[in-house]
Amino acid sequence: MLDLPFATTILVMVPRFSHMNSLENIPKSSCSEICTVGFRKSTREGQGVCCYDCIPCSDGEISNQTDSPDCIKCQDNQWSNEKRDNCIPKSTEFLSFQDSLGYILVAVATASALVPIVILVIFFKHRETPIVKANNQVLSCLLLVALSLCFLSTFLFLGHPTDIKCMLQQVTFSILFVMYVSCLLAKTVLVLMAFRATHPNTTLRSGLGPKVPAMIVFTFTLVQTLICVVWLASSPPYAQRNMKSLIRKIVIECNEGSPQAFWCVLGYMGLLALGSFLVAFKARKLPDSFNEAQLITFSMITFLTVWTLFLPTYLNTKGKYMVAVEVFTIISSSMGIVVCIFLPKCYIILIRPDLNNRSHMKRKLSH
């Protein structure tokens, strides 16, 4: 007869061996492996349910258990990691001052803003010369100041967007833009009126005076200011977190608030620029002493070309590069006006002073 402890041991081990034998008899799939985390099961068509493929989860989805039938979609402010087994917070993006692109734009904007100031100093030092007197000193100075401020206004587009900054950037630029374009229009209108009024006693000639260009600039700038005031009062721009523009990042950007007001501001700017171009084009062949109307025509062609190229480029870019395109367009279009209008005058003042005299003016007018 068996010993009692030995018999007890045998009785205990029998269930274990029977359990192990049952595990070995469980059928295993010969056509599929276990899907690890980051993958989901996808049943093969025409085969048994135990035959499936392991499909990696798509971007923005995860699976954190083996043989998962479906992937879990991450929240809007999160994204999947490389293994697709965990959701991680999205990084934020905006055009920062510390960004290499931000450094370049700041340097270019600062250098560009200094150019009109230098020209203003040159004009002030040579204010008694015919070339400065012939081109309306007050309008030229106002135009140079507006251009310099327009270059500096691009700083509002850089850095972390806030509600205040979003309201200021579009409004400030649009008002300064209208101011310097209306200065160009006023300069062209004066040239056109001066040569149309051939008789000394006509009403047109008697109406020419220092108040005419001031009224032109004031009126057009006031209209744009009123549009901006209505925009800010009704539905002002604000900062927002755009989670759909870029799949892996949250873009912190400015929302226009009211699209109608935004396009109304842009439309007014475009119409004024086009009107200035048409008036300058009409007056381009008048016998102006220093071809002021021709220079304005060239500057407006450059200006309109830059902004025409801007629209499709702006709409096809995303994130911080969209802001960079807008800043670059503001700088390049404004610099085009500086180069086309004032560079020839500075060349005559500094390099060819022999052309900066009354006799030269009379010879050009006689032709």
Side-chain angles (χ1 to χ4, degrees):
M1 180 176 283
L2 291 173
D3 221 10
L4 183 59
F6 181 71
T8 305
T9 303
I10 293 176
L11 292 174
V12 171
M13 292 179 64
V14 167
R16 290 184 181 179
F17 283 118
S18 62
H19 178 66
M20 291 174 62
N21 190 37
S22 63
L23 288 176
E24 291 176 355
N25 293 331
I26 294 176
K28 294 183 179 179
S29 172
S30 62
C31 57
S32 301
E33 297 293 336
I34 296 175
C35 291
T36 59
V37 294
F39 293 81
R40 65 175 178 85
K41 297 194 300 184
S42 177
T43 306
R44 297 175 184 173
E45 293 185 7
Q47 298 186 23
V49 294
C50 63
C51 293
Y52 52 83
D53 294 318
C54 295
I55 307 298
C57 292
S58 303
D59 288 340
E61 296 181 346
I62 65 166
S63 68
N64 51 13
Q65 60 183 5
T66 57
D67 284 336
S68 176
D70 297 298
C71 294
I72 305 170
K73 188 175 182 179
C74 296
Q75 298 179 4
D76 289 340
N77 61 344
Q78 295 180 331
W79 197 249
S80 55
N81 60 356
E82 292 183 1
K83 295 182 178 180
R84 304 288 196 275
D85 62 350
N86 191 24
C87 289
I88 57 176
K90 289 182 178 180
S91 60
T92 58
E93 180 181 277
F94 57 90
L95 188 55
S96 171
F97 284 99
Q98 286 73 34
D99 196 319
S100 57
L101 183 59
Y103 276 127
I104 295 173
L105 292 175
V106 167
V108 173
T110 304
S112 300
L114 291 175
V115 174
I117 301 301
V118 172
I119 296 174
L120 188 62
V121 172
I122 294 174
F123 271 41
F124 182 77
K125 289 182 64 175
H126 299 85
R127 61 187 180 276
E128 298 300 329
T129 58
I131 192 171
V132 177
K133 288 183 175 181
N135 288 283
N136 198 302
Q137 300 179 54
V138 176
L139 274 181
S140 297
C141 293
L142 183 60
L143 175 57
L144 289 168
V145 171
L147 285 167
S148 182
L149 292 176
C150 193
F151 287 125
L152 295 176
S153 70
T154 56
F155 289 166
L156 294 171
F157 292 83
L158 305 177
H160 193 288
T162 61
D163 291 344
I164 298 297
K165 187 179 289 187
C166 289
M167 286 189 288
L168 287 176
Q169 62 180 215
Q170 295 292 347
V171 171
T172 303
F173 160 68
S174 61
I175 292 175
L176 290 172
F177 170 88
V178 169
M179 181 181 293
Y180 75 69
V181 174
S182 60
C183 287
L184 295 177
L185 178 61
K187 289 170 75 70
T188 312
V189 167
L190 285 180
V191 173
L192 190 62
M193 293 173 65
F195 285 95
R196 293 296 183 187
T198 55
H199 300 287
N201 296 324
T202 58
T203 307
L204 185 61
R205 180 169 290 276
S206 61
L208 290 175
K211 293 183 179 180
V212 173
M215 287 300 298
I216 293 175
V217 175
F218 176 78
T219 302
F220 284 105
T221 307
L222 179 62
V223 173
Q224 183 74 316
T225 303
L226 292 176
I227 296 174
C228 291
V229 169
V230 174
W231 182 13
L232 295 179
S234 58
S235 182
Y238 59 90
Q240 69 173 7
R241 296 167 64 88
N242 187 342
M243 301 180 185
K244 298 181 180 180
S245 179
L246 299 177
I247 57 175
R248 297 178 181 273
K249 297 180 179 180
I250 299 174
V251 180
I252 304 178
E253 61 184 10
C254 290
N255 187 299
E256 292 84 5
S258 172
Q260 294 80 8
F262 174 71
W263 287 109
C264 187
V265 167
L266 289 184
Y268 180 76
M269 291 160 56
L271 287 175
L272 183 60
L274 183 60
S276 301
F277 165 72
L278 293 176
V279 174
F281 184 80
K282 186 177 181 180
R284 73 191 187 284
K285 293 185 178 180
L286 293 177
D288 188 11
S289 304
F290 296 97
N291 300 322
E292 184 75 359
Q294 292 184 17
L295 298 178
I296 294 175
T297 303
F298 291 141
S299 68
M300 295 312 300
I301 290 175
T302 304
F303 184 90
L304 292 172
T305 302
V306 170
W307 280 97
T308 302
L309 296 175
F310 157 77
L311 289 176
T313 307
Y314 180 79
L315 295 175
N316 290 324
T317 52
K318 296 179 180 180
K320 64 181 180 181
Y321 297 103
M322 180 182 289
V323 181
V325 167
E326 187 172 2
V327 171
F328 177 78
T329 304
I330 294 172
I331 294 175
S332 57
S333 61
S334 301
M335 183 55 68
I337 291 178
V338 174
V339 171
C340 290
I341 294 179
F342 293 102
L343 192 60
K345 296 180 178 64
C346 291
Y347 172 78
I348 293 175
I349 293 174
L350 300 176
I351 308 299
R352 295 293 305 275
D354 55 299
L355 302 179
N356 191 8
N357 53 64
R358 293 184 178 276
S359 60
H360 178 72
M361 289 182 62
K362 290 180 179 179
R363 283 197 302 270
K364 293 198 68 175
L365 286 172
S366 62
H367 293 305

